[in-house]
Amino acid sequence: MEAISVEFTKVGKRFGARAVLAAVSGTLRPGEVLVVAGPNGAGKSTLLNILAGVLRPSRGGVAYRRGDEEVPRREWFENLGMASPDMAVYEELSAIENLRFFGRLRGHALADGALAELLETLGLPVREHHRAVGTYSSGMKQRVKLAQAALHAPAVLLLDEPSSNLDAAGHEAVAALVARFRARAAVAVATNDPREIAWGDARLDLAL
Ligand SMILES: Nc1ncnc2c1ncn2[C@@H]1O[C@H](COP(=O)(O)OP(=O)(O)OP(=O)(O)O)[C@@H](O)[C@H]1O
Ligand SMILES: [Mg+2]
């Protein structure tokens, strides 16, 4: 995996008459965690969706760079991992089946053993791996979402409220995941949790 930085410049977003982001700039640097904070409705999730290329900004732009080279937009998806409350996992599939599916989607087929290991590092014990995710608790589903974001070891990791629904052990597992990625990836965490804000090497505060 080669290091990628993500630069966003004067990003603005409107939903109809509602202006959500106004000229927001910053950079996700490999080896750093950018914390995106701000009150409910300030646009944290919107910004992460724009950085992921899921939403188009109304103004400004986003560039992925590998060294001096700009990474074309069609290659963003394979280079990023994202977990957010807006994302769903397939309820009728087991955790392992979900990860197999998302892995294939990224062109990154991992052996079941590796997927099981990843789920275990996120605190989901092996005995739960083959049960339909629809029968999981919300914290267990959150762990599957995080595994989905991390499984292809992306150069860019975008985490929207990663500890939502997680207990203390789950929070520690996310902290370990972020620490592992920080070594080589560019990481953004949208959060208002003081424990997560403390992970940030840089911080962007969005206002209402
Ligand atoms: N698809 C959409 N259509 C219309 N308005 C939207 C849409 N998505 C977000 N918004 C609005 O944009 C604003 C920012 O929403 P966003 O979800 O980005 O905030 P947030 O900072 O992530 O909040 P929270 O802390 O509650 O997660 C809100 O006022 C929301 O209603
Ligand atoms: Mg949000």
Side-chain angles (χ1 to χ4, degrees), residues 103-147:
R104 282 193 205 124
L105 213 57
R106 311 267 188 186
H108 198 97
L110 280 182
D112 282 2
L115 297 176
E117 206 173 297
L118 175 61
L119 287 168
E120 277 195 285
T121 62
L122 286 162
L124 206 63
V126 172
R127 64 174 183 280
E128 312 286 6
H129 292 184
H130 298 282
R131 170 151 84 87
V133 164
T135 68
Y136 277 20
S137 72
S138 49
M140 291 166 74
K141 279 183 198 165
Q142 177 64 8
R143 292 165 198 252
V144 178
K145 281 193 198 180
L146 291 164

Side-chain angles (χ1 to χ4, degrees), residues 44-46 85-86 160-161:
K44 303 181 295 295
S45 299
T46 301
D86 306 329
D160 193 355
E161 297 179 20

